[in-house]
Amino acid sequence: MTEAPAGIRRGRAPALAMNLLARLAVLGLVALTTFALPRLLPGDPLQAMLASDHAQSLSLAELAALRERLGLTAGWGRQLGDWLGDLLRGDLGHSIRHARPVAALVAESLPWTLLLILGAMPVYLLLGALAGIRAGRAQGGALDRGLTGLVTVLASIPPFVLAILLMLGFAILWPVLPAGGALPLFPSDQPLVRAGQVARHAALPVAALALHEFARFYYLARAEAIGLSRRPFVLNAEARGLAPLRMLADYYGRNILPAFVARMSDSISGLFGAALIVEIVFSYPGIGGLIYGAILDRDYPLLQGATIIVAAGVLALNWLIDAVLAVLAERG
Amino acid sequence: MRVGPPLLGLLAVSLAARPLLPAWRSSREVLAPPGTAHPLGTNAIGQDIALGLLHATPNTLLVGLAAAALATGVALAAAGLAATAPPTLRAAILRLVDALQVLPAMLVLLFVAAFAQPGLAGLIPLLGLTSWHEDVRLALALIRREAGRENVHFARSMGASWSHCLRRHVLPAIRPALAALYVQNIRQVTLRGAGLAFLGLTDPRLPSWGSMMQEAMDHLYTPAWSWLLLPPALALTLFLLVLLALAEAAPDKDAAA
Amino acid sequence: MSGLFRIALLTLAALLSAPVLAQEDRPLIITDSRADRGMLAPYLHTRNGIAYLYMTYVFDSLVSQDRQGRPAPGLAASWTISADGLTADLQMDGRASWHDGRPVTARDAAFTFAYMARHPYPFVTLKNVAGAEALSDRHLRITLKSRDAGLVSGLLTALPILPEHVYAAEDAPERFTAPEAATGSGPYRLASYDKAQGRYMLEAVPDHYAGAPKFTRLMIVTMAPDAAIRALRGGEVDVISDLPVERAAGVEAQGLHVVRARSGHVTKIAFNHQGMFGARTLRQALAQALDRLAILDITAPNGAGALAETGYFQQGSPWREDRTDPVWPHDPAIAATLFEAQGFARNGTGRWQRDGAPVTLRLISDESQARVAQVVADQLEGFGFGVELRLMERTALQAVPPGGDYDLLIASVSTTGDPGDIASRVTGDAWSADRYAGDGRIAAALEAARQAATPEKRLAHLRAFQRLYAEELPSLMLIDPVMASAHGGRIALEFMPDGARIGIPTAIDKSAFLPE
């Protein structure tokens, strides 16, 4: 799993360019899929719009006018062409349910999701590495057995159960942290206080996400550490009595890095899935909930726009990580 | 690799026991705490939790075993094809795998599940077909290693076809590794299936541990969460831990390598 | 160690938690458990009743409602309707003005009719309006295509009037999201709207023609019920608009005020009239095979709902005749006899068969009615039918056509508001309609009610409809859920008997914020 994608080692630049092209092709595929899938499914935005109990029975002429306004009368080809054209001009379209530009909606919710992911990432990467290395260096010891057992149980609990348990523990039974949302009822105007409020609200979702990813990197770090601790240069350094911190950073950390980066590249898309569940449990206003709502409301423009942004983001990150990986591989 | 028999045994027992169980009916005893009549309490429409756990067991097991088998099988087929195909086709397969890897699988699951509300028959292919790509590179590496061995070269030089070689020489050699992969897939698929059920995206008439846990979400502020959430969560966690224990007990040095 | 940790955390929490504003300069804060209802303008709010209600805080209609829900002067101070019922003359209230200071005239009203004909608005249909013209600044004349007994309490109450000087140049109102889009003539102006947090701040219009609103500022915030209860107890918020009924007793026990009312938004079983349940006898048989009381007890225990009336109108509706509708009590023996008379037979194991084949009923619904659907399925299975229950995703359920792949459909339907729209709810094709034709008597009664010349005649026809409905069972009404609101005493709240404006079950209609 940790091997670099084929071809990346010879001539870095052309390979990376090829990679980029392939990813653009994938993006095109995603665009087509998000365009076609919702239209293949039963129901359309007009139906979702008129679903309310209080909606009046409109006349056929009124219905036709609404359909026209929603841009649903044109054939698929026209609709797709219009959308792609707009997309190339940087226009993501206009949400039907929210009556706002898709770009604005995405810009409002994406930062919250990124906050969760970027907040969780250092936590699980660092903790995973530290705990994994310590356990791996003392393989079979009491610490290793205890830690590994604990992590194994942790990895066997569904992520949403972990999230609920965290919420129960720290927001309901012992209410020290907010149970949901991203900001308090009256957000402060002072940036510093406001940052504190945001942090308080993000604490539990971030913890849930970090716990979910922690096991994966713990196992990886442990396995790598076990291998490393038998290598001569490490044994040598150990015998020389190197400072523990240097040992950790220069000998283990440095050598585990490529494996970590490669694994990150694999796990990015999964991370968005986990973030979605966490957002739902903590009613956090992120992009997962936005997309989920768009599916239910058949809000084609929002669904298409938000999905393509997420996919582009994941692809770009993934490409970036592969590039880093290639550099690391070349450095040896 | 003795993972299969105990799992299949468990599945068979739970399936065989199901007709003997009383039907899982609603009753006026709504949200009753655990007691003598209902050892694990009842849910919001008065169904017995303990009985629900038993009814849900075969469904959860069946989905896990079958979807994981499907994922492993497809991954193996794709890897076998990639190993024996000309370079262009191989590159195409690997690119496809990369692409699927990058696509948030959750998004695809959301899409399909939101509309189809899959039951048993739908859930298995849905989960299987959204998980296989994660194993292709590993399976390909295994196949290539085995295919590079002398016995295969010898067989090829004697005019044996690739499919013959794969079947007779490669497959038996990588079986232990595949078994480990299979167990890992069961865990993956079970967790994902529970996630879908938690989002309310599976057939509600199909009792599963995941959908039982979903009910707890409405009752987090009342004591009912404890008997709604904990029993199915413990059952699921226990099942996954047992799987791990089984896999570790199995002597498969190949997989560790 | 853990004690120290706890103290540190608590200190941190105290430092970081928001300060509670002083009582006097604090707005009246209302919580809503669902996020974001969209911008409060007719084409921008989300398509549901509560969002419409919030919009009416900002936009007034020609006809308003008093606190009991009766028609009251709105932007039109008075109105007369011609003898043939085809012409309505309205005198506009000269004191009314838009939030930007310009006066509201009959021209704005006429413009709104024309504009909404071009840009349909789902909560109003203008299909019966021939035209609307401003004969002067104060005099509006509306002409209809046919007589409509519900003109005043229906259309004129529902239609929000738009400012011509703001909307005339807008050809795509659903994309007109500038703050001016919320320029209305209602008692409150929209001061700020935070979409991500689902939060509205409204400021009173002190010189509003109906009198100065009681609260200078109104704030609507999104809050989950449990957080809202805690906040109400702590005095941080004033009103919980949608309190889950099952929590009401607990909230009352904490010394807070709770108001409750039957919602009139009934959970019903709709039949596929193009299938076996096209036969009235079978609908009546099914009604008696089911134990509606048990369904109520299981899915809405402890007063969370009431047994629904079978004659369409629910308790509390001013349109309902106070008589006992047939209740179709649970009686498996009678039900079995009725099924047998229609050629059904039970086999050895008690399963119903028709023409030698076991009968399986296809029951569809969506997640929101999952509990009721499961209990109904259980009861039908207990009675001897095979049941294939499908809980579909909301919009997919709405896409199931009349006569589609189902026998029974469980849905929630509004029975409140002006009866002008009942015909479409009973005979229409929409997913939540009964999709019923029958022998035409029900449609005839409703049409007669629509064309009735006097309110008394209208009521008489509606009563005939009520009796027919309970006999014919276009749908079987199951449960009338109870709704609740809680408040801390800063405001007196009461649910409107037949729902607010377009029949929205709520205790926070804008009349609650206006002087009597």
Side-chain angles (χ1 to χ4, degrees):
Chain A
M1 290 292 266
T2 56
E3 62 165 341
I8 214 161
R9 269 175 211 132
R10 4 171 187 113
R12 210 187 327 145
L16 280 178
M18 269 305 293
N19 250 318
L20 189 62
L21 273 182
R23 282 183 170 81
L24 281 178
V26 173
L27 194 63
L29 209 69
V30 173
L32 280 180
T33 319
T34 54
F35 177 83
L37 260 182
R39 285 175 173 76
L40 285 172
L41 298 155
D44 65 24
L46 186 61
Q47 227 153 11
M49 186 182 222
L50 298 176
S52 161
D53 245 7
H54 300 285
Q56 300 287 301
S57 68
L58 301 183
S59 67
L60 288 179
E62 287 169 321
L63 285 177
L66 262 181
R67 188 167 283 280
E68 170 82 45
R69 302 213 68 80
L70 294 177
L72 299 172
T73 39
W76 275 37
R78 267 285 301 283
Q79 290 185 38
L80 179 63
D82 287 352
W83 178 52
L84 290 180
D86 287 347
L87 208 57
L88 288 180
R89 272 183 281 114
D91 179 3
L92 285 174
H94 209 89
S95 158
I96 295 170
R97 179 193 180 277
H98 299 275
R100 299 192 65 196
V102 171
L105 289 168
V106 171
E108 273 166 18
S109 52
L110 195 57
W112 295 115
T113 303
L114 288 180
L115 175 70
L116 292 192
I117 289 180
L118 295 180
M121 226 175 220
V123 178
Y124 67 73
L125 286 180
L126 274 178
L127 286 186
L130 286 178
I133 292 172
R134 283 199 69 174
R137 284 172 76 179
Q139 190 199 1
L143 179 85
D144 177 36
R145 271 181 291 141
L147 255 177
T148 306
L150 189 76
V151 174
T152 305
V153 173
L154 209 61
S156 299
I157 303 177
F160 60 88
V161 175
L162 275 179
I164 294 176
L165 289 179
L166 275 175
M167 182 160 140
L168 272 168
F170 295 98
I172 296 175
L173 299 179
W174 184 41
V176 287
L177 286 170
L183 278 173
L185 187 50
F186 298 103
S188 172
D189 294 332
Q190 291 168 289
L192 211 65
V193 181
R194 196 184 167 92
Q197 291 171 336
V198 169
R200 248 169 67 78
H201 281 77
L204 283 180
V206 162
L209 201 57
L211 267 182
H212 175 247
E213 293 291 309
F214 171 73
R216 187 199 293 264
F217 287 90
Y218 170 84
Y219 284 129
L220 184 64
R222 179 175 173 271
E224 293 277 320
I226 291 174
L228 279 171
S229 62
R230 296 187 188 134
R231 297 271 289 276
F233 75 99
V234 174
L235 288 173
N236 202 354
E238 205 98 57
R240 274 190 292 147
L242 227 58
L245 204 64
R246 249 202 90 195
M247 201 67 215
L248 198 66
D250 286 357
Y251 283 75
Y252 284 96
R254 219 184 232 274
N255 287 296
I256 284 176
L257 197 61
F260 257 54
V261 176
R263 182 58 62 87
M264 269 171 71
S265 151
D266 291 342
S267 69
I268 285 179
S269 59
L271 207 55
F272 269 90
L276 167 72
I277 287 188
V278 167
E279 281 172 18
I280 288 178
V281 171
F282 290 98
S283 39
Y284 207 78
I287 193 127
L290 193 70
I291 292 181
Y292 189 47
I295 294 181
L296 297 183
D297 287 315
R298 304 292 190 276
D299 193 341
Y300 298 160
L302 178 57
L303 187 54
Q304 290 164 188
T307 312
I308 209 80
I309 293 286
V310 170
V314 170
L315 282 166
L317 261 177
N318 182 268
W319 181 72
L320 212 71
I321 292 177
D322 276 2
V324 171
L325 210 60
V327 175
L328 284 178
E330 211 157 76
R331 225 180 45 183
Chain B
M1 88 112 213
R2 288 283 76 108
V3 185
L7 281 180
L8 287 175
L10 191 59
L11 178 64
V13 168
S14 62
L15 272 175
R18 190 150 61 168
L20 306 176
L21 294 173
W24 199 36
R25 288 274 161 80
S26 48
S27 78
R28 278 192 165 94
E29 285 173 80
V30 172
L31 290 177
T36 44
H38 304 284
L40 294 177
T42 63
N43 67 8
I45 54 172
Q47 291 168 317
D48 186 272
I49 302 280
L51 193 58
L53 280 183
L54 293 178
H55 273 284
T57 304
N59 298 336
T60 312
L61 288 184
L62 194 61
V63 168
L65 296 187
L70 183 64
T72 316
V74 174
L76 190 63
L81 192 63
T84 55
T88 43
L89 183 57
R90 171 159 60 228
I93 292 175
L94 289 182
R95 275 278 151 266
L96 175 71
V97 168
D98 280 348
L100 289 174
Q101 195 96 311
V102 171
L103 259 185
M106 202 64 202
L107 212 62
V108 181
L109 281 175
L110 264 186
F111 254 125
V112 180
F115 302 108
Q117 291 252 331
L120 262 188
L123 208 52
I124 291 168
L126 181 61
L127 288 171
L129 294 180
T130 44
S131 307
W132 63 276
H133 52 84
E134 289 155 18
D135 302 331
V136 173
R137 282 191 180 277
L138 187 62
L140 180 61
L142 288 172
I143 291 176
R144 274 180 159 172
R145 191 186 63 199
E146 291 304 322
R149 289 192 199 280
E150 239 158 56
N151 56 346
V152 178
H153 280 299
F154 182 70
R156 283 289 285 170
S157 66
M158 297 302 285
S161 73
W162 262 121
S163 67
H164 172 87
C165 291
L166 281 182
R167 244 179 312 124
R168 292 300 301 274
H169 300 288
V170 177
L171 263 187
I174 63 171
R175 249 177 81 169
L178 280 184
L181 205 58
Y182 178 54
V183 169
Q184 204 183 332
N185 275 335
I186 298 178
R187 283 173 57 89
Q188 277 278 355
V189 164
T190 306
L191 280 173
R192 254 186 216 160
L196 272 190
F198 171 73
L199 290 177
L201 295 175
T202 55
D203 182 351
R205 290 282 277 176
L206 185 79
S208 73
W209 294 336
S211 60
M212 292 177 72
M213 282 183 266
Q214 187 209 9
E215 294 194 30
M217 273 308 276
D218 294 335
H219 300 278
L220 291 183
Y221 287 83
T222 64
W225 70 265
S226 54
W227 67 86
L228 289 175
L229 177 68
L230 295 183
L234 283 178
L236 191 68
T237 303
L238 212 62
F239 170 62
L240 295 180
L241 284 174
V242 166
L243 266 182
L244 261 190
L246 280 176
E248 262 163 30
D252 49 4
K253 307 245 159 33
D254 269 320
Chain C
M1 175 63 205
S2 75
L4 262 181
F5 179 64
R6 189 177 167 150
I7 290 169
L9 263 183
L10 284 176
T11 321
L12 194 68
L15 274 176
L16 295 178
S17 63
V20 176
L21 291 179
Q23 188 77 17
E24 56 271 22
D25 56 315
R26 212 191 62 179
L28 185 83
I29 303 174
I30 299 170
T31 69
D32 178 340
S33 64
R34 295 246 219 104
D36 180 40
R37 307 287 184 174
M39 174 103 143
L40 302 185
Y43 290 96
L44 302 178
H45 68 77
T46 55
R47 302 307 181 204
N48 55 59
I50 298 296
Y52 176 93
L53 183 81
Y54 294 161
M55 184 277 296
T56 66
Y57 294 177
V58 181
F59 284 83
D60 271 355
S61 301
L62 291 167
V63 176
S64 189
Q65 282 179 312
D66 65 13
R67 296 197 65 176
Q68 281 70 45
R70 292 176 298 235
L75 289 173
S78 63
W79 50 85
T80 54
I81 292 169
S82 66
D84 63 0
L86 295 182
T87 310
D89 287 286
L90 294 88
Q91 285 299 318
M92 304 292 288
D93 192 322
R95 299 166 297 169
S97 63
W98 298 108
H99 294 157
D100 59 9
R102 298 220 203 174
V104 180
T105 70
R107 268 170 248 293
D108 288 308
F111 163 77
T112 304
F113 276 88
Y115 193 78
M116 288 208 170
R118 266 181 293 137
H119 305 277
Y121 174 55
F123 294 91
V124 172
T125 174
L126 298 172
K127 59 189 171 200
N128 192 35
V129 175
E133 56 176 328
L135 298 181
S136 75
D137 266 4
R138 303 280 293 275
H139 185 182
L140 175 74
R141 172 165 291 171
I142 302 165
T143 45
L144 300 181
K145 293 174 186 162
S146 63
R147 187 192 277 279
D148 178 8
L151 175 66
V152 170
S153 53
L155 175 62
L156 299 186
T157 305
L159 181 79
I161 299 301
L162 301 172
E164 181 175 17
H165 63 281
V166 176
Y167 274 85
E170 292 302 329
D171 194 44
E174 57 280 331
R175 298 191 176 205
F176 174 38
T177 51
E180 297 83 64
T183 308
S185 55
Y188 283 93
R189 91 177 81 233
L190 183 62
S192 70
Y193 161 47
D194 178 349
K195 181 171 182 57
Q197 308 293 325
R199 184 166 299 177
Y200 301 88
M201 179 66 90
L202 296 136
E203 280 169 2
V205 176
D207 52 353
H208 188 255
Y209 62 93
K214 290 181 196 163
F215 301 94
T216 53
R217 284 189 302 163
L218 214 59
M219 192 174 175
I220 304 167
V221 298
T222 305
M223 223 186 230
D226 295 285
I229 292 170
R230 207 174 288 161
L232 183 65
R233 201 175 47 204
E236 293 162 53
V237 305
D238 302 297
V239 176
I240 301 176
S241 65
D242 52 351
L243 180 72
V245 198
E246 64 271 18
R247 315 299 297 279
V251 172
E252 271 172 330
Q254 296 172 17
L256 300 163
H257 308 267
V258 174
V259 286
R260 296 179 178 81
R262 292 173 63 161
S263 64
H265 278 230
V266 181
T267 305
K268 66 168 188 181
I269 299 185
F271 300 95
N272 185 346
H273 294 281
Q274 296 178 32
M276 62 185 264
F277 289 107
R280 182 179 68 172
T281 328
L282 287 188
R283 298 198 292 273
Q284 294 174 344
L286 188 96
Q288 294 172 89
L290 290 175
D291 186 350
R292 291 196 303 146
L293 213 52
I295 299 173
L296 173 74
D297 286 347
I298 294 171
T299 61
N302 308 321
L307 199 61
E309 301 293 342
T310 55
Y312 190 87
F313 296 117
Q314 301 300 310
Q315 295 280 343
S317 164
W319 314 102
R320 180 184 148 75
E321 181 183 8
D322 193 16
R323 65 189 284 272
T324 315
D325 292 333
V327 289
W328 303 109
H330 177 51
D331 195 331
I334 293 185
T337 328
L338 289 173
F339 275 113
E340 276 158 9
Q342 293 287 317
F344 289 74
R346 276 195 163 122
N347 70 5
T349 57
R351 280 280 312 260
W352 285 101
Q353 296 188 317
R354 196 181 207 182
D355 304 328
V359 180
T360 296
L361 300 179
R362 296 159 298 170
L363 174 63
I364 58 175
S365 188
D366 68 354
E367 192 59 36
S368 66
Q369 303 297 339
R371 287 177 190 176
V372 175
Q374 294 201 26
V375 176
V376 167
D378 276 358
Q379 290 193 359
L380 290 174
E381 272 173 359
F383 183 68
F385 283 114
V387 178
E388 182 197 310
L389 169 61
R390 268 181 303 146
L391 288 194
M392 307 170 70
E393 185 258 349
R394 199 175 60 202
T395 311
L397 180 70
Q398 288 153 13
V400 174
D405 180 25
Y406 71 99
D407 294 303
L408 305 167
L409 189 160
I410 294 182
S412 164
V413 65
S414 163
T415 64
T416 51
D418 183 79
D421 204 40
I422 294 181
S424 67
R425 290 168 197 260
V426 176
T427 58
D429 274 349
W431 75 282
S432 63
D434 298 335
R435 297 166 162 180
Y436 170 80
D439 53 11
R441 281 184 299 158
I442 282 188
L446 287 171
E447 182 57 19
R450 193 176 78 84
Q451 301 258 10
T454 66
E456 295 72 32
K457 284 184 182 155
R458 186 185 198 200
L459 216 49
H461 290 299
L462 288 174
R463 288 177 170 176
F465 159 74
Q466 179 184 333
R467 279 191 289 272
L468 279 171
Y469 198 94
E471 279 301 326
E472 288 289 326
L473 296 179
S475 284
L476 176 64
M477 301 296 192
L478 295 176
I479 296 166
D480 186 2
V482 168
M483 299 198 140
S485 283
H487 61 93
R490 265 185 89 190
I491 180 174
L493 292 181
E494 217 41 74
F495 275 85
M496 259 193 197
D498 193 34
R501 311 291 147 177
I502 49 175
I504 303 157
T506 182
I508 51 165
D509 179 69
K510 62 181 165 185
S511 58
F513 311 128
L514 288 169
E516 285 279 345

